[in-house]
Amino acid sequence: PPRIVAGEPQETVCQLLRAGLIHLPQLEIRMVQALLPTDAGADAKSLAAVGFRHLSNLLYLVCLADEFPTSPPCSELQFEPYSPKRRARFAELVDATYEGSLDCPAVNGVRSVNEVLQGYEATGHFDPERWFIVLHQGEEIGCLILTDYPENAIWELIYMGLLPTARGRGLGVEIVRHALWLSGQASRNRLVLAVDAANEPALRMYAAAGFQSWDRRSVYIRVLDENGPMAE
């Protein structure tokens, strides 16, 4: 959020935020987010005053190379690389994995799945070979989306999702271990991700795969009205 000099009233922060937000609908911006170290304090109050709402708390997790599998994990899963020619089918699959998801559920539906995929593509160094359709016994059950930050020798697990019918069977941790193995094959020194702190099943799964928490942020969002200045 905006910074102000000593002695400037906090209302100036709100005025600057409003000035920044007012033009965004014209640019076809649908949602604005802010990440704060905590959900308390002056910054949080200023964001709330201009229509932001607290969405969730994110935990940032990391698994270091020492924990990466040294051989392909034994699994009944198949990982089929994404192809732009199958974008429509991939989008349908990703959208289906959002059903009943515990990861920031309040934001589901704010953007179309194609807009979400565009955001994923813009994260890190996009390569369709790092996007996968996950199959079990020939049936599509989920997806895995990874990206690369070669300048830091880091891969990020942007998104991993399972269809509701595939949950609760231990398949998620198998997918994550495959991601860890791929990270090692790419000579990366860590795999990182962010997860909703309230998503206890996911936290247990990532812990079982060797991840540890290294940071935390509070997420605030502001949904903008396409037909007016801003939606409360």
Side-chain angles (χ1 to χ4, degrees), residues 5-6 17 97 104 128 146 164 177 188 222 230-232:
V5 298
L17 285 169
T97 66
C104 303
L146 303 161
R177 285 178 177 145
R188 295 304 179 241
R222 182 73 160 86
M230 290 185 287
E232 297 297 339

Side-chain angles (χ1 to χ4, degrees), residues 1-151:
R3 304 292 87 185
I4 52 177
V5 298
E8 187 71 24
Q10 192 67 21
E11 173 58 25
T12 300
V13 172
C14 298
Q15 293 175 3
L16 290 168
L17 285 169
R18 293 189 186 100
L21 291 168
I22 196 69
H23 302 289
L24 296 183
Q26 303 170 29
L27 302 175
E28 299 183 353
I29 302 299
R30 186 165 302 174
M31 186 179 74
V32 185
Q33 70 177 24
L35 302 178
L36 302 182
T38 174
D39 58 2
D43 282 335
K45 291 179 180 178
S46 295
L47 289 172
V50 300
F52 281 79
R53 60 189 175 94
H54 181 249
L55 175 68
S56 65
N57 294 315
L58 286 182
L59 291 179
Y60 292 83
L61 308 182
V62 60
C63 185
L64 301 178
D66 290 346
E67 298 288 335
F68 292 173
T70 56
S71 60
C74 295
S75 173
E76 296 181 354
L77 301 179
Q78 300 85 47
F79 295 83
E80 182 179 307
Y82 162 79
S83 167
K85 294 180 180 178
R86 299 186 64 192
R87 185 181 183 87
R89 176 61 192 132
F90 191 80
E92 290 179 5
L93 179 61
V94 172
D95 195 38
T97 66
Y98 291 153
E99 181 182 343
S101 172
L102 299 179
D103 233 26
C104 303
V107 79
N108 288 347
V110 173
R111 297 174 296 166
S112 71
V113 66
N114 281 318
E115 290 170 334
V116 172
L117 292 182
Q118 288 172 9
Y120 292 161
E121 289 172 343
T123 303
H125 290 247
F126 168 66
D127 184 343
E129 291 294 315
R130 289 190 286 267
W131 290 30
F132 299 93
I133 295 171
V134 184
L135 301 99
H136 180 253
Q137 298 180 346
E139 180 182 352
E140 295 179 359
I141 62 159
C143 59
L144 172 65
I145 299 177
L146 303 161
T147 195
D148 188 22
Y149 299 89
E151 61 277 11

